[in-house]
Amino acid sequence: MIQLHDKFFKPFISEKEIQQAVKRVADTIAADYRDTTPIFVGVLNGSFMFVSDFLKAYEYPCEVSFVKLSSYQGLTSTGIVETLLDLPENIEGRDVIILEDIIDTGRTLQELVHLFSNTNVKEFKIASLFYKSEVYNGEYAIDYFGLEIPDRFIVGYGLDYKELGRNFREVYQLNQKHMINLVLFGKPGAGKGTQAQFLKEQYNLKHISTGDVFRFNIKNGTELGNLAKSYIDKGDLVPDAVTIKMLEDEVGKNPDADGFIFDGFPRTAAQAEALDNFLESKDMKINATIALEANDEVLIARLLERGKVSGRSDDQDVDKIRNRFEEYSLKTAPLKNYYEDQNKFHSVNGIGSIEEITERLTKVIASL
Ligand code: 5GP
């Protein structure tokens, strides 16, 4: 395990595997271009090591040049791609092969294709050492790649985390062990929102409230939002797969978070299992499920008080409140079993001052 700034990384791809992949790419390209003199164009900074080893493995006439673009800041793609070092001259009529270290969403590649689109090159090809095929959503088909990798954040062999790690001979992946992923349960009035706010700030977590995410996506007419709406409009429940996809997007959008608080999902054991499967595919897991517990009479008093201030009608009617409690108990019971079987269920006394409850939550997290 190595540490770069605030993050930990664990070994992922060995030096030997990398060298074999480089050689494979070089041999494949040689088979296509050995009789011409192609220009290899490395994309800086990340590709410098790949370009160097690639050229040593490519034993035919060729030229080399570099372009420089920038799109990543820390762990997230900012989406802004700038040209910092321009195209080589005299590429008209030549075979140009781009050498990229990694292709992720394909945004950088799109910019490159655009850059070269008004040059009169004879052939334009893309070779990338690493290729995250699951997240790639560009139109251009990648011509050559060394290794297909899952959607993990990697460093080493030219790739950095905030400029560190480029000099490693092997590739490491972000270690998610230090993440804190929580599922938060609680009856209405139990103080979930207040405590989630605290946990979020204290541990740098991202709070994902499924209800909020749905409303946001529907309001903004995203593809997933429209899909979800098509079910809701028919009076059907949104299928778990759609909700999971939405969660996936939220998790993907926040790679800098040190963990997530899932709120409002899962609601059934089947959903809990789907969530586990999705997290596992990201090398993540739920660390704890916390239920904020309080006696019904205390909660009713709290909600009635809240109803007076907020004007929420469902907080002003004792019968409606009791119905919501009943629904909660019915739904969470099987989930409680599911997480108890995994030794992840923690019940926290939700009666007391905000600080007292916060203190209890902190103890649970410290024990993980
Ligand atoms: P794209 O534009 O395809 O989303 O991203 C391409 C650029 O993002 C790469 O050239 C690289 O600079 C950066 N990048 C994408 N994935 C990773 C990764 O896993 N680790 C590091 N260090 N950089 C990455």
Side-chain angles (χ1 to χ4, degrees), residues 64-283:
V64 64
S65 186
F66 292 92
V67 287
K68 181 163 179 164
L69 303 170
S70 129
S71 83
Y72 256 58
Q73 296 256 326
L75 296 167
T76 351
S77 176
T78 59
I80 303 159
V81 185
E82 297 172 82
T83 320
L84 304 170
L85 177 66
D86 252 325
L87 294 186
E89 283 169 21
N90 309 326
I91 52 172
E92 211 178 302
R94 303 290 301 274
D95 294 318
V96 171
I97 299 163
I98 299 288
L99 297 181
E100 261 281 26
D101 44 347
I102 188 163
I103 291 177
D104 186 13
T105 63
R107 232 177 262 134
T108 313
L109 177 59
Q110 196 181 338
E111 183 67 13
L112 277 168
V113 173
H114 177 75
L115 261 179
F116 280 88
S117 64
N118 34 23
T119 60
N120 284 317
V121 298
K122 182 162 154 243
E123 277 212 70
F124 176 79
K125 292 277 153 100
I126 304 283
S128 180
L129 179 57
F130 302 113
Y131 175 36
K132 295 186 190 170
S133 55
E134 288 165 24
V135 274
Y136 179 66
N137 60 19
E139 281 161 22
Y140 191 96
I142 313 302
D143 302 291
Y144 307 94
F145 60 85
L147 291 166
E148 240 179 294
I149 61 166
D151 184 17
R152 306 278 161 82
F153 184 81
I154 62 171
V155 295
Y157 200 73
L159 291 155
D160 71 310
Y161 169 56
K162 295 187 182 164
E163 294 308 325
L164 293 183
R166 294 195 195 274
N167 54 328
F168 301 145
R169 290 161 176 265
E170 53 287 289
V171 161
Y172 293 78
Q173 64 164 302
L174 183 62
N175 189 307
Q176 312 279 31
K177 252 207 200 77
H178 299 266
M179 271 192 140
I180 305 171
N181 297 310
L182 306 172
V183 174
L184 206 52
F185 292 126
K187 284 184 183 168
K192 255 186 338 169
T194 313
Q195 296 302 332
Q197 187 60 29
F198 156 78
L199 292 171
K200 198 175 117 173
E201 283 162 19
Q202 178 75 13
Y203 299 101
N204 184 31
L205 309 182
K206 166 81 187 163
H207 179 201
I208 304 184
S209 152
T210 343
D212 290 347
V213 178
F214 268 126
R215 280 185 288 275
F216 177 86
N217 276 279
I218 292 173
K219 191 170 144 226
N220 288 285
T222 66
E223 204 177 310
L224 276 167
N226 291 338
L227 185 60
K229 194 169 178 295
S230 70
Y231 291 97
I232 295 168
D233 286 349
K234 277 185 279 174
D236 293 336
L237 287 175
V238 179
D240 292 350
V242 177
T243 313
I244 286 280
K245 184 78 189 64
M246 236 184 243
L247 292 180
E248 231 174 292
D249 283 3
E250 288 303 303
V251 170
K253 272 191 238 161
N254 294 282
D256 275 318
D258 290 329
F260 296 87
I261 305 170
F262 296 98
D263 176 358
F265 190 90
R267 285 186 195 274
T268 63
Q271 289 181 345
E273 210 175 319
L275 181 63
D276 276 353
N277 290 339
F278 149 60
L279 291 176
E280 200 183 320
S281 75
K282 297 239 165 211
D283 197 27

Side-chain angles (χ1 to χ4, degrees), residues 51-67:
V51 173
S52 165
D53 285 339
F54 174 89
L55 289 175
K56 284 180 260 176
Y58 189 89
E59 295 168 347
Y60 304 93
C62 62
E63 296 176 22
V64 64
S65 186
F66 292 92
V67 287

